[in-house]
Amino acid sequence: MLKAKPVSRYRFRDVCREDLPLLAQWLTEPHVARWWGEPATELGSIEEAMTSKETRPMIVELDGKPIGYLQSYDPHLEEGHPYRDQPKGTLGIDISIGIPELTGKGHGAAIIRKLASELFAGGATRIVIDPDPENVQAIRAYEKAGFRYVDKRTSIYGPAHFMALDAPGETELP
């Protein structure tokens, strides 16, 4: 008897103009605003990323309903990016669950695992993420998704707890 492959409840899609009001709302939620910058500035950055080649802004959906924002980026395509020291094939990611009631329920780790799987299937060899060192909830979610601590860095946003996840079969790099 064939076993049915489990269907993921999460789906990623590119951000579109119709998403901007929802993103603006999420950026003002206290649990998001604490870790992101000024909402209008961040929304402008997301809008700019919609046409960039280095960043892919995405909406994460749970059972067809938008619940969060994701982005992946290639630090090697950005002049002077602080993570250009990572090997070629590295992608950076950022995530924010927009709906407060969905935080702390395991969605973050599950979403990151699915995103990592898709990025690795697309050829990425390493994924990095850089939460604020005080964002213990996010760090715990990334650890549950398999990320490991690399070092403490300072980005343009301040201190960063720099973490990495290597593709299955890849040799862990420093």
Side-chain angles (χ1 to χ4, degrees), residues 30-77:
H31 74 283
V32 176
R34 179 174 180 198
W35 308 113
W36 287 69
E38 197 277 320
T41 303
E42 294 296 340
L43 190 61
S45 295
I46 292 169
E47 215 172 336
E48 193 177 296
M50 289 169 66
T51 58
S52 79
K53 64 178 187 224
E54 56 274 335
T55 303
R56 180 180 178 206
M58 296 172 276
I59 294 291
V60 59
E61 295 179 344
L62 172 63
D63 297 330
K65 178 183 175 191
I67 65 162
Y69 174 74
L70 294 170
Q71 63 184 21
S72 65
Y73 62 89
D74 185 337
H76 297 100
L77 295 178

Side-chain angles (χ1 to χ4, degrees), residues 53-56 58 71-78 81 83-84 86-94 115-130 147 162-167:
K53 64 178 187 224
E54 56 274 335
T55 303
R56 180 180 178 206
M58 296 172 276
Q71 63 184 21
S72 65
Y73 62 89
D74 185 337
H76 297 100
L77 295 178
E78 293 184 40
H81 194 285
Y83 305 151
R84 288 178 70 125
Q86 296 300 295
K88 293 282 187 194
T90 296
L91 294 177
I93 60 172
D94 296 298
L115 179 63
S117 175
E118 289 185 13
L119 294 175
F120 289 144
T125 55
R126 172 177 268 198
I127 300 170
V128 296
I129 197 160
D130 58 354
F147 281 78
F162 191 67
M163 303 175 79
L165 177 66
D166 293 309

